[in-house]
Amino acid sequence: MTIIYKVLGQASPAASTNTDLYTVPSIVSAVISTLVICNRGAASSSFRVAVRPAGAAIAVQHYLMYDTVISSNDSLTLTIGMTLATTDIVTVLSTSGTISFSLFGSEIA
């Protein structure tokens, strides 16, 4: 078993656009350790984070955070410790388009 520690994904999605931040590759599982959300804008904004098992279409039960407000020029760091299986997808959305998402963790092959 090989464990690779890495940046799993980074994105700055357009406003109100669901964006896949990370998809677990074939024959790999993953552990998410940290998610950093950064609002680069001059106004407060909100965001969403969802995990879609096996690439399922997004549904209400997938949300970890929903319309969570982040202040202007602020960052939020979440220590998660979540395991994901092959083809699971982390999806993010920003209401303003001024939020950056960075996902850190490891892949296990």
Side-chain angles (χ1 to χ4, degrees):
M1 177 170 31
T2 303
I3 299 174
I4 302 167
Y5 301 97
K6 61 191 284 185
V7 175
L8 298 173
Q10 292 183 309
S12 179
S16 302
T17 303
N18 279 320
T19 302
D20 293 345
L21 180 61
Y22 174 67
T23 302
V24 182
S26 306
I27 65 171
V28 171
S29 58
V31 177
I32 295 173
S33 60
T34 307
L35 174 63
V36 179
I37 301 111
C38 175
N39 183 0
R40 305 175 325 276
S44 293
S45 186
S46 62
F47 65 90
R48 299 176 184 178
V49 178
V51 174
R52 300 185 295 126
I58 201 153
V60 294
Q61 68 268 23
H62 298 147
Y63 286 101
L64 305 177
M65 306 186 90
Y66 193 87
D67 291 347
T68 303
V69 176
I70 184 169
S71 299
S72 62
N73 301 308
D74 199 6
S75 294
L76 176 63
T77 301
L78 305 171
T79 303
I80 299 173
M82 180 186 335
T83 57
L84 300 175
T86 298
T87 69
D88 288 352
I89 300 171
V90 177
T91 301
V92 295
L93 178 140
S94 161
T95 57
S96 65
T98 63
I99 296 180
S100 299
F101 298 88
S102 294
L103 189 67
F104 304 92
S106 56
E107 291 180 338
I108 304 161

